[in-house]
Amino acid sequence: MATWLCENATTRVRGKRVVELGAGPGLPGIVAAKLGAREVVLTDLASELELLRANAALNGLEVRDDDDDDDGDGDGDGARKE
């Protein structure tokens, strides 16, 4: 996926809003941010966010939690580049 993003950055990434669902370590989303996406939202289960947050921060992304998980089901958090 990261390779495809690099090959198609001009038409598919630059200036666009990118959402990665179930991001795990977040490589495609981080690559999209580095390629000029206007905004990147990375999501995963709350129990899996520690690595995602660390990777985003290590790659110079602003990490912001949008914690609207009122029902406690583990979604609603992420890392974001704006």
Side-chain angles (χ1 to χ4, degrees), residues 21-71:
L21 304 175
L27 179 61
I30 291 168
V31 169
K34 296 294 188 177
L35 291 172
R38 175 177 52 87
E39 179 182 25
V40 177
V41 178
L42 307 174
T43 68
D44 212 322
L45 297 173
S47 61
E48 306 302 317
L49 290 177
E50 186 176 342
L51 178 60
L52 178 56
R53 287 183 185 116
N55 285 342
L58 285 169
N59 282 279
L61 303 182
E62 173 191 348
V63 177
R64 183 176 74 210
D65 287 340
D66 291 339
D67 191 357
D68 58 4
D69 188 23
D70 296 332
D71 60 0

Side-chain angles (χ1 to χ4, degrees), residues 1-10 13-14 31 35:
M1 177 57 87
T3 301
W4 184 88
L5 288 171
C6 291
E7 293 169 352
N8 295 280
T10 303
V13 178
R14 266 189 213 117
V31 169
L35 291 172

